[in-house]
Coordinates of all heavy atoms in Angstrom, one line a residue:
G4 N 127.1 65.3 91.2 CA 126.2 66.5 91.2 C 124.9 66.4 90.5 O 124.4 67.3 90.0
V5 N 124.3 65.2 90.6 CA 122.9 65.0 90.0 C 122.1 64.3 91.1 O 122.6 63.8 92.1 CB 122.9 64.1 88.7 CG1 123.8 64.8 87.7 CG2 123.4 62.7 89.0
S6 N 120.8 64.2 90.9 CA 119.9 63.5 91.8 C 120.0 62.0 91.7 O 120.4 61.5 90.7 CB 118.4 63.9 91.6 OG 118.0 63.5 90.3
E7 N 119.6 61.3 92.7 CA 119.5 59.8 92.7 C 118.6 59.3 91.6 O 119.0 58.3 91.0 CB 119.1 59.3 94.1 CG 119.0 57.8 94.2 CD 118.6 57.3 95.5 OE1 118.4 58.1 96.5 OE2 118.3 56.1 95.7
S8 N 117.5 60.0 91.4 CA 116.6 59.6 90.3 C 117.2 59.7 89.0 O 116.9 58.9 88.1 CB 115.3 60.4 90.4 OG 115.6 61.8 90.2
T9 N 118.1 60.7 88.8 CA 118.8 60.8 87.5 C 119.7 59.6 87.3 O 119.9 59.1 86.1 CB 119.6 62.1 87.4 OG1 118.7 63.2 87.6 CG2 120.4 62.3 86.1
V10 N 120.4 59.2 88.3 CA 121.3 58.0 88.2 C 120.5 56.8 87.9 O 120.9 56.0 87.0 CB 122.0 57.8 89.5 CG1 122.9 56.5 89.5 CG2 122.9 59.0 89.9
V11 N 119.3 56.6 88.5 CA 118.4 55.4 88.2 C 118.0 55.5 86.8 O 118.0 54.5 86.1 CB 117.2 55.4 89.2 CG1 116.3 54.3 88.8 CG2 117.7 55.2 90.6
R12 N 117.5 56.7 86.3 CA 117.1 56.8 84.9 C 118.2 56.5 83.9 O 118.0 56.0 82.8 CB 116.5 58.2 84.7 CG 115.1 58.4 85.3 CD 114.4 59.6 84.7 NE 115.2 60.9 85.0 CZ 115.1 61.6 86.1 NH1 114.2 61.3 87.0 NH2 115.8 62.7 86.2
F13 N 119.4 56.9 84.3 CA 120.6 56.6 83.5 C 120.7 55.1 83.2 O 121.0 54.7 82.1 CB 121.8 57.2 84.1 CG 123.1 56.9 83.4 CD1 123.5 57.5 82.2 CD2 124.0 55.9 83.9 CE1 124.6 57.2 81.5 CE2 125.1 55.5 83.2 CZ 125.5 56.2 82.1
A14 N 120.6 54.3 84.3 CA 120.7 52.9 84.2 C 119.6 52.3 83.3 O 119.9 51.4 82.5 CB 120.6 52.2 85.6
I15 N 118.4 52.8 83.4 CA 117.3 52.4 82.6 C 117.5 52.8 81.1 O 117.2 52.0 80.2 CB 116.0 53.0 83.1 CG1 115.7 52.4 84.5 CG2 114.8 52.7 82.2 CD1 114.5 53.0 85.2
E16 N 118.1 53.9 80.9 CA 118.4 54.4 79.6 C 119.4 53.5 78.9 O 119.3 53.3 77.7 CB 119.0 55.8 79.7 CG 119.4 56.4 78.3 CD 118.3 57.0 77.5 OE1 117.2 57.2 78.1 OE2 118.5 57.3 76.3
L17 N 120.2 52.8 79.7 CA 121.2 51.9 79.1 C 120.6 50.5 78.8 O 121.2 49.7 78.2 CB 122.4 51.7 80.1 CG 123.4 52.8 80.2 CD1 124.4 52.5 81.2 CD2 124.0 53.1 78.8
G18 N 119.3 50.3 79.3 CA 118.6 49.1 79.0 C 118.5 48.1 80.2 O 118.0 47.0 80.1
F19 N 118.9 48.6 81.4 CA 118.8 47.8 82.6 C 117.5 48.0 83.3 O 116.8 49.0 83.0 CB 119.9 48.1 83.6 CG 121.3 47.8 83.1 CD1 122.1 48.8 82.5 CD2 121.8 46.5 83.1 CE1 123.4 48.5 82.1 CE2 123.0 46.2 82.6 CZ 123.9 47.2 82.1
D20 N 117.0 47.0 84.1 CA 115.8 47.2 84.8 C 115.9 48.3 85.9 O 114.9 48.8 86.3 CB 115.4 45.9 85.5 CG 115.0 44.8 84.4 OD1 114.6 45.2 83.3 OD2 115.1 43.6 84.8
G21 N 117.1 48.5 86.3 CA 117.3 49.5 87.3 C 118.7 49.7 87.7 O 119.6 49.0 87.1
Y22 N 119.0 50.5 88.6 CA 120.4 50.7 89.0 C 121.1 49.5 89.5 O 122.3 49.2 89.2 CB 120.5 51.9 90.0 CG 122.0 52.2 90.4 CD1 122.8 52.9 89.5 CD2 122.5 51.8 91.6 CE1 124.1 53.2 89.9 CE2 123.8 52.0 92.0 CZ 124.6 52.8 91.1 OH 125.9 53.0 91.4
P23 N 120.5 48.7 90.4 CA 121.2 47.5 91.0 C 121.6 46.5 89.9 O 122.7 46.0 90.0 CB 120.1 46.9 91.8 CG 119.2 48.0 92.3 CD 119.2 48.9 91.1
E24 N 120.8 46.4 88.8 CA 121.2 45.5 87.7 C 122.4 46.0 87.0 O 123.4 45.3 86.6 CB 120.1 45.3 86.7 CG 120.4 44.2 85.7 CD 119.3 44.0 84.6 OE1 118.3 44.8 84.7 OE2 119.4 43.1 83.8
M25 N 122.5 47.3 86.7 CA 123.6 47.9 86.1 C 124.9 47.8 87.0 O 126.0 47.5 86.5 CB 123.4 49.4 85.8 CG 124.5 50.1 85.0 SD 124.4 51.9 84.9 CE 125.0 52.4 86.5
Q26 N 124.7 48.0 88.3 CA 125.8 47.9 89.2 C 126.4 46.5 89.2 O 127.6 46.3 89.1 CB 125.3 48.3 90.6 CG 126.4 48.4 91.6 CD 125.8 48.7 93.0 OE1 124.8 48.2 93.4 NE2 126.6 49.6 93.7
R27 N 125.5 45.5 89.2 CA 126.0 44.1 89.2 C 126.7 43.8 87.9 O 127.8 43.1 87.9 CB 124.8 43.1 89.4 CG 124.3 43.1 90.8 CD 123.3 41.9 91.0 NE 122.2 42.0 90.2 CZ 121.0 42.6 90.6 NH1 120.9 43.1 91.8 NH2 120.0 42.6 89.8
S28 N 126.2 44.3 86.8 CA 126.8 44.0 85.5 C 128.2 44.7 85.5 O 129.2 44.1 85.0 CB 125.9 44.6 84.4 OG 126.5 44.4 83.2
L29 N 128.3 45.9 86.0 CA 129.6 46.6 86.0 C 130.6 45.9 87.0 O 131.8 45.7 86.6 CB 129.4 48.0 86.5 CG 130.6 48.9 86.4 CD1 131.2 49.0 85.0 CD2 130.2 50.3 86.9
Q30 N 130.1 45.4 88.1 CA 131.0 44.6 89.0 C 131.6 43.4 88.4 O 132.7 43.1 88.5 CB 130.2 44.3 90.3 CG 129.9 45.5 91.2 CD 129.0 45.1 92.3 OE1 128.5 44.0 92.5 NE2 128.7 46.1 93.2
E31 N 130.7 42.6 87.7 CA 131.2 41.4 87.0 C 132.2 41.7 85.9 O 133.2 41.0 85.7 CB 130.0 40.6 86.4 CG 129.1 40.0 87.5 CD 128.0 39.1 86.8 OE1 128.0 39.1 85.6 OE2 127.2 38.6 87.6
L32 N 131.9 42.8 85.2 CA 132.8 43.2 84.1 C 134.2 43.6 84.6 O 135.2 43.2 84.0 CB 132.2 44.4 83.4 CG 133.0 45.0 82.2 CD1 133.1 43.9 81.1 CD2 132.4 46.2 81.7
I33 N 134.3 44.3 85.7 CA 135.6 44.9 86.1 C 136.4 44.0 87.1 O 137.6 44.3 87.3 CB 135.4 46.3 86.7 CG1 134.7 46.2 88.1 CG2 134.6 47.2 85.8 CD1 134.7 47.5 88.8
R34 N 135.7 43.1 87.7 CA 136.5 42.4 88.8 C 137.8 41.7 88.3 O 138.8 41.7 89.0 CB 135.6 41.3 89.4 CG 134.6 41.9 90.4 CD 133.8 40.8 91.1 NE 134.7 40.0 92.0 CZ 134.5 38.7 92.2 NH1 133.6 38.0 91.7 NH2 135.3 38.1 93.0
M35 N 137.8 41.2 87.1 CA 139.0 40.6 86.6 C 140.0 41.6 86.2 O 141.2 41.3 85.9 CB 138.6 39.7 85.4 CG 138.2 40.4 84.2 SD 137.7 39.2 82.9 CE 136.1 38.6 83.5
R36 N 139.6 42.9 86.1 CA 140.5 43.9 85.7 C 141.2 44.7 86.8 O 142.2 45.4 86.7 CB 139.8 44.9 84.8 CG 139.2 44.3 83.5 CD 138.5 45.3 82.7 NE 137.9 44.8 81.5 CZ 137.2 45.5 80.6 NH1 137.2 46.8 80.7 NH2 136.6 44.9 79.6
L37 N 140.6 44.6 88.0 CA 141.1 45.4 89.1 C 142.4 44.9 89.6 O 142.7 43.7 89.8 CB 140.1 45.3 90.3 CG 138.8 46.0 90.1 CD1 137.9 45.9 91.4 CD2 138.9 47.4 89.8
T38 N 143.4 45.8 89.8 CA 144.7 45.5 90.4 C 144.5 45.3 91.9 O 143.5 45.6 92.5 CB 145.7 46.6 90.1 OG1 145.3 47.8 90.9 CG2 145.8 46.9 88.6
A39 N 145.5 44.7 92.5 CA 145.5 44.5 94.0 C 145.4 45.8 94.7 O 144.6 45.9 95.7 CB 146.8 43.8 94.4
V40 N 146.0 46.8 94.2 CA 145.9 48.2 94.9 C 144.5 48.7 94.7 O 144.0 49.3 95.7 CB 147.0 49.1 94.2 CG1 146.8 50.5 94.8 CG2 148.4 48.7 94.5
Q41 N 143.9 48.6 93.6 CA 142.5 49.1 93.4 C 141.6 48.3 94.3 O 140.6 48.9 94.8 CB 142.1 48.9 91.9 CG 142.7 49.9 91.0 CD 142.4 49.6 89.5 OE1 142.4 48.5 89.1 NE2 142.1 50.6 88.8
R42 N 141.8 47.0 94.5 CA 140.9 46.2 95.4 C 141.0 46.8 96.8 O 140.0 46.8 97.5 CB 141.4 44.8 95.3 CG 140.9 44.0 94.1 CD 141.6 42.7 94.0 NE 141.0 41.9 92.9 CZ 140.3 40.8 93.0 NH1 140.1 40.4 94.3 NH2 139.8 40.2 92.0
V43 N 142.2 47.1 97.3 CA 142.3 47.6 98.6 C 141.5 48.9 98.8 O 140.8 49.1 99.7 CB 143.8 47.9 99.0 CG1 143.9 48.7 100.3 CG2 144.6 46.6 99.1
D44 N 141.6 49.8 97.8 CA 140.9 51.1 97.8 C 139.4 50.9 97.8 O 138.7 51.5 98.6 CB 141.3 52.0 96.6 CG 142.8 52.5 96.7 OD1 143.3 52.5 97.8 OD2 143.3 52.8 95.7

């Protein structure tokens, strides 16, 4: 329930260059933690 720009600013607030960088970082962090069921979803 927020704007796309708010999401982008949130990523920058965390220290990333933008949302794509935060997204890639999150993907790398969680891939080893996802269960087989979560992967299907």
Side-chain angles (χ1 to χ4, degrees):
V5 300
S6 67
E7 180 179 352
S8 60
T9 300
V10 176
V11 174
R12 286 197 298 272
F13 174 77
I15 295 173
E16 178 79 13
L17 288 176
F19 296 101
D20 291 337
Y22 181 77
E24 186 183 6
M25 184 188 80
Q26 187 181 41
R27 286 193 296 270
S28 180
L29 186 57
Q30 287 171 359
E31 288 185 1
L32 176 67
I33 70 171
R34 282 186 66 212
M35 69 184 73
R36 301 182 184 182
L37 293 182
T38 65
V40 174
Q41 287 175 316
R42 283 168 171 248
V43 171
D44 291 339

